């Protein structure tokens, strides 16, 4: 089955610690992968896309086709990074729909 | 101010009633989507529309219906056939990317539906 797996429901770290939010996918074609973030009381918003290879708010994510992973990383976590993070894959359910993982809540403590 | 507007923010439904959730966008996006968000379940696709007067079922379409009469609007009706309608509903829109896949979605602020 084609799916997105985020194995951690909750990740708790201290400020300044490195962060890695895991995402694995299953897809038969050439995937397009995204990370979305939802801060408290805010809308879900796009954080980054693998195709643009950009770094947003210090976060990066590399697509590893061999391991079918797209882990989100940040070397030094900040308290304002606390949010719900969703990994998403394009192309599973039709022309241009996104399939989301179940999400990982990141809590950064002072 | 461009964006997606969902209304109402909170909605209460009695058993056996149909309710309609509104979604309007002024981004000139062709594609629109409805997702359901439940705790621990992530986002699941209900319906989507690539163009006016056309829409397709997503992964959990049973008990829901949509229409796309205008590019700007994509209302979702939760019918009495939906067995567990209490959830947070998110609407999104996008322009297709050059590969035919979405370049990213813009989301609304959501509607929380509660069955009473």
């Amino acid at each position: 089955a084609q799916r997105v797996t985020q194995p951690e429901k909750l990740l708790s770290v201290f400020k300044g610690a490195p962060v890695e939010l895991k995402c694995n996918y299953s897809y038969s074609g050439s995937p397009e992968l995204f990370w979305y973030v939802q801060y408290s009381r805010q809308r879900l918003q796009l954080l980054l896309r693998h195709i643009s290879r950009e770094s947003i708010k210090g976060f990066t994510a590399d697509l590893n086709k061999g391991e079918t992973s797209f882990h989100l990383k940040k070397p030094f976590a900040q308290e304002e990074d606390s949010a719900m993070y969703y990994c998403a894959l394009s192309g599973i359910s039709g022309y241009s729909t996104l399939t989301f993982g179940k999400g990982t809540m990141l809590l950064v403590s002072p | 101010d461009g964006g997606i507007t969902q209304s109402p923010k909170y909605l209460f439904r009695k058993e056996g009633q149909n309710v309609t959730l509104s979604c309007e966008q002024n981004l000139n996006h062709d594609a629109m989507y409805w997702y359901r968000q439940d705790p621990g379940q992530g986002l699941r696709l209900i319906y989507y529309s690539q163009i006016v007067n056309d829409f397709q079922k997503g992964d959990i379409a049973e008990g829901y219906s949509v229409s796309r009469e205008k590019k700007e609007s994509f209302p979702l009706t939760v019918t009495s056939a939906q067995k567990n309608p209490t959830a947070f509903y998110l609407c999104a829109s996008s322009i297709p990317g050059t590969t035919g896949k979405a370049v990213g979605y813009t989301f609304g602020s959501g509607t929380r539906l509660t069955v009473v």
Side-chain angles (χ1 to χ4, degrees):
Chain A
Q2 295 168 322
R3 62 182 179 271
V4 176
T5 303
Q6 294 180 251
E8 304 140 326
K9 287 186 179 180
L10 173 66
L11 183 62
S12 185
V13 301
F14 288 106
K15 177 182 175 181
V19 169
E20 182 178 68
L21 294 150
K22 290 183 168 52
C23 173
N24 289 92
Y25 67 90
S26 173
Y27 183 59
S28 58
S30 181
E32 289 189 21
L33 286 146
F34 305 79
W35 277 99
Y36 281 80
V37 61
Q38 191 170 29
Y39 300 103
S40 178
R41 301 182 186 277
Q42 293 189 27
R43 303 181 183 209
L44 195 62
Q45 56 187 284
L46 178 66
L47 181 62
L48 55 81
R49 312 179 275 151
H50 93 271
I51 200 168
S52 58
R53 302 186 66 81
E54 56 200 343
S55 174
I56 303 293
K57 299 183 179 182
F59 284 98
T60 59
D62 290 318
L63 178 60
N64 185 324
K65 292 187 178 181
E67 296 182 357
T68 59
S69 68
F70 188 56
H71 302 327
L72 184 68
K73 299 178 183 179
K74 186 170 183 177
F76 307 104
Q78 303 299 315
E79 290 180 67
E80 56 265 30
D81 295 329
S82 296
M84 192 73 173
Y85 291 81
Y86 291 96
C87 183
L89 171 65
S90 178
I92 285 182
S93 300
Y95 177 67
S96 62
T97 62
L98 284 176
T99 294
F100 288 83
K102 293 185 177 182
T104 298
M105 173 65 75
L106 174 64
L107 290 177
V108 182
S109 304
Chain B
D1 184 24
I4 296 183
T5 302
Q6 289 187 242
S7 62
K9 192 170 183 178
Y10 299 96
L11 186 57
F12 297 89
R13 191 195 92 171
K14 292 183 179 179
E15 295 276 356
Q17 279 186 337
N18 293 352
V19 289
T20 298
L21 283 60
S22 172
C23 178
E24 303 277 334
Q25 55 100 357
N26 60 5
L27 300 167
N28 201 32
H29 285 173
D30 290 314
M32 296 186 74
Y33 314 83
W34 275 104
Y35 284 86
R36 172 179 170 143
Q37 188 178 28
D38 296 283
Q41 294 293 319
L43 280 75
R44 292 179 290 170
L45 182 64
I46 303 172
Y47 267 98
Y48 63 102
S49 169
Q50 303 294 341
I51 196 170
V52 174
N53 292 322
D54 187 45
F55 48 83
Q56 285 77 42
K57 293 181 179 180
D59 301 316
I60 55 166
E62 185 176 351
Y64 300 97
S65 66
V66 293
S67 62
R68 188 81 187 280
E69 297 177 2
K70 299 186 299 181
K71 187 176 185 178
E72 304 79 18
S73 179
F74 191 42
L76 173 74
T77 297
V78 184
T79 75
S80 57
Q82 169 51 234
K83 299 304 179 189
N84 186 23
T86 295
F88 191 58
Y89 291 87
L90 285 169
C91 180
S93 69
S94 75
I95 52 173
T98 55
T99 61
K101 296 177 181 175
V103 295
Y105 290 5
T106 299
F107 280 89
S109 56
T111 293
R112 187 166 297 281
L113 174 63
T114 303
V115 174
V116 296

